[in-house]
């Protein structure tokens, strides 16, 4: 006769791989030899381990589901949010399966735990307040998922495609557009190359439509790992030992770490890690530096942040800290750290943080101190960035690695051409002794102002500046006021040329968001046409050259010219406004073309219709 436990053991072995749910096995003692049976309820509900669904119930009563979205959950469709009140102003926890309120569990849960429903005996997880904020869906393979979004769906755009897109919005500056297009394409490739090999293989495996048995086994082990991690979070050991599994066991099942110590010395194969090449754009005001960045931000699949250096100060002083640069990038990445670590940062007005000589006895808070704080940020370090909706003083920070973040700096560097001409010993008055000339950005700006105050030809002066800026070197930037360590971390120096008369005429009409079409759309909302002939465009471009404000001067001239027509046209019989060269030079008034006269009653009727249909006309003008 066999052992009394034989039948029970056989039953356990038959049902172990499927799992038992709500089953009760009663074994009689050894003293009663006559009864060796096992009594089970009439209906035994079993569920396989791969389909085990664990429901999370947060503090507010809402439920979540762990596991992949493709897996079926037995209790789906019957989840009820805890909308009922507990009488104390808080929400009650409800069972996600039967909806019965769990009165034996407090509304405020201090730690994540498993809860059993008293009515249907269903197990679910109640999240604590801290875990419900962070979320349990953050897996260690989130970096691979971010890369999968960037590369598995579509390949990165080639440089020629990016250049053609920039050409639709920005006129001229072909060298700068080529540098930015190549830099963005290399940024995509560097991100893909610097991923750990295990994550890249996982992405490639997920791209395959069919799965081999070995891959299915890997998927099954991943599910087991997730369930084990869930038990550890709940404070239950997966091996049945004591409560509170150690963090070492949890960390040991994460992604494989890098080789260190003797393994590096013994290994023969070394992977090439691509490093970034930061860019600095130099050019006069109104030449298109910021417009290039704004246009580039719309066509990228990586986070892109445009930051202003004029508001940055050293740590501990009034103003924005240097970490706010990465905080803006994190905000653009929707607070995903892995995506933010692969983004691009555009530092605008970087020449405003140049050091000013003569105040070395004091701390240069907004100048040299900011450059020193940006050094490790440009090269690559781990920055503590404040979390979403939190202040820095509370200590709630997120660590962001800036190793793979590309930095593009830009600045006008007014007076840099005078420094270059001084270095090349060109155009000096007298004997050309540079002893009485100061250093720093203020001295450079004063020298540029003194040089341009004379009665010189504007076109010749622009050509001379462009010729000198092509020979810019790192020592010229150092003499301007940038520290050598900062200049060394921006290896690619891109000078932008000034805008001549022909380029300004093209800017008025050619780009997607040109100036003249904008004003034509404004007039078309009032059923009026705006016609500007070619001579008027050239006269406007010539006036903008004399103002020395670049493309920004075009809008101020157009506003001044069209002030009177924009005042006269609304609710009038003017059908068209024409501008010619004499109007631009102030010799005559704009020419109005009026509609034929109508009767008074018809005019009042038409004006009422126009007021009602004005939004429709505005939409038609935009289209």
């Amino acid at each position: 006769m066999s052992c009394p436990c034989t039948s029970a053991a056989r039953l356990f072995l038959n049902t172990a791989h499927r799992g038992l749910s709500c089953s009760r096995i009663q074994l009689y003692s050894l003293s009663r030899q006559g009864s060796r049976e096992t009594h089970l309820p009439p209906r035994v509900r079993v569920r396989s381990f791969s389909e085990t669904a664990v429901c999370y119930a947060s503090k507010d009563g809402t439920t979540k589901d762990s596991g992949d979205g493709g897996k079926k959950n037995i209790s789906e469709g019957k989840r009820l949010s805890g909308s009922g009140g507990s009488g104390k102003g808080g929400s009650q926890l409800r069972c996600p399966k039967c909806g019965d309120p769990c009165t034996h569990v407090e509304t405020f849960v201090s730690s994540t735990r498993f809860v059993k429903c008293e009515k249907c005996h269903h197990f679910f997880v109640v999240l604590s307040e801290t875990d419900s904020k962070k979320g349990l869906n953050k897996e260690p393979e989130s970096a691979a998922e971010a890369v999968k979004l960037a590369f598995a769906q579509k390949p990165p755009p080639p440089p020629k495609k990016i250049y053609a897109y920039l050409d639709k919005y920005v006129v001229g500056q072909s060298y700068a557009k080529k540098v930015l297009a190549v830099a963005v394409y290399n940024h995509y490739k560097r991100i893909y190359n610097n991923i750990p090999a295990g994550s890249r293989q996982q992405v490639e495996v997920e791209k395959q439509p069919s799965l081999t048995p070995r891959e299915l086994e890997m998927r099954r082990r991943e599910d087991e790992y997730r369930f084990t991690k869930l038990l550890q979070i709940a404070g239950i050991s997966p091996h049945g030992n004591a409560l509170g599994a150690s963090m070492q066991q949890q960390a040991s099942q994460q992604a494989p770490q890098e080789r260190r110590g003797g393994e590096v010395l013994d290994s023969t194969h070394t992977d090439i890690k691509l490093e970034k090449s930061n860019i600095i754009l130099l050019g006069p005001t109104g030449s298109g530096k910021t417009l290039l960045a704004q246009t580039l931000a719309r066509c990228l699949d990586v986070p892109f942040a445009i930051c202003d250096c004029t508001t940055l100060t050293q740590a501990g002083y009034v103003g924005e800290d240097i970490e706010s640069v990465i905080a803006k990038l994190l905000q653009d990445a929707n607070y995903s750290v892995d995506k933010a670590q692969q983004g691009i940062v555009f530092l605008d007005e970087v020449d405003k943080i140049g050091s000013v000589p003569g105040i070395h006895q004091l701390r240069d808070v907004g100048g040299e101190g900011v450059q020193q704080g940006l050094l490790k940020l440009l090269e690559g370090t781990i920055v503590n960035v404040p979390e979403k909706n939190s202040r820095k003083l509370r200590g709630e920070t997120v660590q962001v690695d800036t190793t793979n973040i590309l930095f593009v700096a830009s600045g006008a560097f007014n007076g840099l051409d005078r420094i270059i001409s001084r270095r090349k010993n060109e155009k000096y008055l007298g004997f050309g002794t540079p002893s009485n000339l100061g250093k720093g950005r203020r001295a450079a700006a004063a020298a540029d102002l003194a040089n341009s105050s004379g009665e010189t030809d504007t076109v010749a002066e622009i050509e001379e500046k462009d010729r000198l800026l092509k020979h810019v070197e790192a020592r010229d930037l150092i003499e301007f006021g940038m520290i050598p360590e900062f200049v060394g971390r921006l290896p690619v120096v891109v000078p932008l040329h000034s805008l001549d008369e022909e380029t300004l005429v093209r800017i008025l009409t050619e780009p997607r968001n040109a100036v003249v079409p904008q004003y034509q759309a404004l007039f078309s909302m009032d059923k009026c046409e705006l016609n500007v002939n070619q001579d008027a465009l050239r006269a406007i471009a010539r006036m903008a050259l004399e103002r020395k404000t670049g493309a920004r001067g075009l809008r101020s001239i157009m506003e001044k010219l069209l002030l009177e027509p924009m005042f006269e046209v609304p609710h009038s019989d003017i059908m068209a406004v024409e501008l010619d060269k004499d109007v631009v030079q102030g010799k005559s008034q704009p020419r109005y073309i009026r509609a034929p006269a109508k009767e008074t009653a018809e005019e009042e009727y038409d004006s009422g219709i126009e007021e009602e249909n004005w939004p429709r006309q505005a939409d038609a003008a935009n289209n």
Side-chain angles (χ1 to χ4, degrees):
M1 187 175 292
S2 62
C3 178
C5 299
T6 305
S7 58
R10 186 178 297 110
L11 179 64
F12 270 110
L13 290 176
N14 291 336
T15 60
H17 69 283
R18 294 179 297 174
L20 289 172
S21 175
C22 303
S23 62
R24 182 179 301 170
I25 303 174
Q26 299 176 353
L27 299 176
Y28 289 84
S29 62
L30 296 174
S31 60
R32 301 177 62 180
Q33 299 290 333
S35 59
R36 295 173 183 171
E37 303 172 347
T38 58
H39 298 279
L40 292 175
R43 299 177 62 186
V44 178
R45 299 176 60 187
V46 295
R47 182 168 51 189
S48 64
F49 181 76
S50 61
E51 295 180 354
T52 300
V54 182
C55 301
Y56 306 103
S58 59
K59 187 177 92 171
D60 57 352
T62 57
T63 58
K64 303 176 184 177
D65 183 21
S66 73
D68 297 332
K71 298 179 180 179
K72 294 184 179 179
N73 182 11
I74 293 180
S75 62
E76 67 179 356
K78 296 184 179 181
R79 300 176 186 172
L80 298 175
S81 300
S83 58
S86 61
K88 300 179 181 179
S91 58
Q92 267 190 345
L93 289 174
R94 292 180 179 271
C95 176
K97 183 179 178 183
C98 65
D100 189 61
C102 300
T103 57
H104 62 285
V105 181
E106 296 180 359
T107 306
F108 178 77
V109 182
S110 59
S111 61
T112 302
R113 65 183 70 175
F114 275 101
V115 177
K116 181 181 178 182
C117 179
E118 294 180 346
K119 183 177 181 181
C120 64
H121 306 288
H122 182 71
F123 279 91
F124 60 96
V125 175
V126 180
L127 295 180
S128 66
E129 188 174 5
T130 56
D131 288 336
S132 61
K133 284 183 179 179
K134 295 180 181 178
L136 293 178
N137 54 355
K138 294 182 180 178
E139 296 296 329
E141 60 266 15
S142 57
E145 294 175 359
V147 174
K148 178 181 68 175
L149 292 175
F151 298 104
Q153 296 178 357
K154 58 182 180 179
K160 291 182 180 179
K161 192 174 182 180
I162 300 175
Y163 181 88
Y165 176 77
L166 292 176
D167 226 0
K168 297 176 183 177
Y169 292 89
V170 184
V171 176
Q173 314 297 354
S174 60
Y175 179 65
K177 287 188 281 192
K178 285 181 181 178
V179 171
L180 288 176
V182 171
V184 168
Y185 184 68
N186 289 340
H187 179 70
Y188 280 106
K189 292 193 293 185
R190 182 177 65 253
I191 290 173
Y192 184 73
N193 182 79
N194 293 346
I195 305 169
S199 302
R200 196 184 312 157
Q201 290 175 1
Q202 180 181 358
V203 173
E204 292 174 355
V205 164
E206 291 181 359
K207 288 171 62 177
Q208 297 177 0
S210 60
L211 296 177
T212 61
R214 182 179 179 183
E215 292 166 356
L216 292 174
E217 180 69 17
M218 291 176 63
R219 290 281 181 91
R220 188 186 65 80
R221 290 182 180 179
E222 282 185 10
D223 295 337
E224 289 182 2
Y225 165 68
R226 289 176 182 172
F227 188 73
T228 305
K229 184 179 177 183
L230 178 62
L231 293 176
Q232 291 173 350
I233 292 175
I236 302 174
S237 174
H239 303 293
N241 297 330
L243 288 177
S246 62
M247 295 300 294
Q248 296 178 356
Q249 296 176 357
Q250 184 176 352
S252 63
Q253 299 193 24
Q254 291 184 359
Q257 299 181 355
E258 298 179 357
R259 296 179 179 178
R260 292 182 179 275
E263 296 181 359
V264 178
L265 298 175
D266 297 336
S267 63
T268 57
H269 177 68
T270 56
D271 295 332
I272 296 179
K273 189 170 184 179
L274 301 177
E275 295 184 355
K276 59 186 177 183
S277 299
N278 297 323
I279 304 169
I280 181 168
L281 305 176
L282 315 173
T285 176
S287 56
K289 301 183 295 295
T290 309
L291 181 62
L292 278 171
Q294 293 172 350
T295 309
L296 195 64
R298 293 196 292 264
C299 70
L300 294 183
D301 295 329
V302 294
F304 191 95
I306 301 177
C307 306
D308 191 9
C309 289
T310 56
T311 59
L312 298 180
T313 55
Q314 208 170 351
Y317 290 88
V318 176
E320 292 189 7
D321 290 336
I322 300 170
E323 290 83 8
S324 65
V325 172
I326 307 298
K328 290 180 181 178
L329 185 67
L330 194 63
Q331 182 180 4
D332 189 76
N334 199 13
Y335 295 94
S336 172
V337 177
D338 295 320
K339 290 182 181 179
Q341 289 176 353
Q342 302 165 359
I344 300 176
V345 174
F346 186 81
L347 300 174
D348 207 0
E349 307 292 347
V350 78
D351 58 323
K352 306 305 183 293
I353 59 173
S355 60
V356 179
I359 58 172
H360 286 297
Q361 65 271 14
L362 303 175
R363 302 198 68 176
D364 192 3
V365 175
E368 190 172 348
V370 179
Q371 294 183 50
Q372 294 170 357
L374 283 171
L375 291 180
K376 293 301 293 180
L377 196 72
L378 293 176
E379 191 173 8
T381 186
I382 296 177
V383 184
N384 292 322
V385 182
E387 276 188 351
K388 183 180 181 181
N389 298 331
S390 67
R391 294 183 179 179
K392 189 179 179 183
L393 298 177
R394 298 180 183 175
E396 300 174 356
T397 57
V398 178
Q399 289 189 341
V400 180
D401 189 6
T402 64
T403 305
N404 288 327
I405 298 177
L406 180 67
F407 289 89
V408 181
S410 79
F413 290 91
N414 193 17
L416 187 65
D417 54 327
R418 296 296 98 204
I419 297 176
I420 300 172
S421 66
R422 185 193 312 172
R423 173 171 59 85
K424 302 184 74 173
N425 291 326
E426 293 180 359
K427 295 196 67 174
Y428 271 112
L429 297 177
F431 296 97
T433 55
S435 59
N436 58 347
L437 296 175
K439 294 184 178 180
R441 58 186 177 97
R442 292 183 181 175
D448 183 67
L449 182 62
N451 182 72
S452 61
S453 60
E455 295 294 333
T456 57
D457 188 11
T458 307
V459 178
E461 186 180 347
I462 288 176
E463 290 177 355
E464 181 194 357
K465 280 189 176 183
D466 292 344
R467 181 180 60 85
L468 290 172
L469 280 179
K470 289 181 181 179
H471 300 90
V472 64
E473 295 179 1
R475 48 183 172 176
D476 301 321
L477 297 175
I478 294 170
E479 190 175 352
F480 184 84
M482 317 303 288
I483 59 177
E485 302 93 326
F486 185 81
V487 177
R489 286 169 170 81
L490 298 168
V492 183
V493 181
V494 183
L496 276 76
H497 62 77
S498 302
L499 303 177
D500 54 0
E501 182 179 330
E502 190 67 31
T503 309
L504 289 174
V505 172
R506 293 176 58 195
I507 289 174
L508 281 170
T509 55
E510 285 188 12
R512 288 279 180 91
N513 201 24
V515 180
V516 174
Q518 290 182 30
Y519 286 101
Q520 288 176 344
L522 282 176
F523 277 95
S524 65
M525 293 180 188
D526 293 313
K527 291 186 177 181
C528 182
E529 295 182 1
L530 174 64
N531 298 321
V532 186
N533 58 15
Q534 195 69 20
D535 294 336
L537 294 177
R538 291 192 173 276
I540 294 172
R542 201 172 297 113
M543 288 179 65
L545 274 180
E546 296 173 357
R547 296 191 178 189
K548 297 180 181 178
T549 53
R552 292 188 179 96
L554 298 172
R555 180 169 289 275
S556 62
I557 296 171
M558 292 293 293
E559 283 287 344
K560 187 176 180 181
L561 287 176
L562 296 176
L563 174 63
E564 197 67 28
M566 286 189 290
F567 182 78
E568 297 287 344
V569 164
H571 294 289
S572 66
D573 56 349
I574 300 175
M575 297 179 57
V577 179
E578 294 185 354
L579 298 181
D580 54 5
K581 184 178 179 181
D582 294 337
V583 177
V584 176
Q585 294 177 353
K587 297 178 181 179
S588 64
Q589 293 295 325
R591 183 186 172 192
Y592 300 129
I593 299 178
R594 299 181 181 272
K598 295 182 180 180
E599 294 181 2
T600 309
E602 293 181 0
E603 288 181 0
E604 293 177 356
Y605 177 73
D606 291 343
S607 63
I609 295 177
E610 286 178 2
E611 291 178 359
E612 294 176 359
N613 297 339
W614 188 85
R616 194 179 303 165
Q617 296 169 9
D619 295 339
N622 289 331
N623 294 331

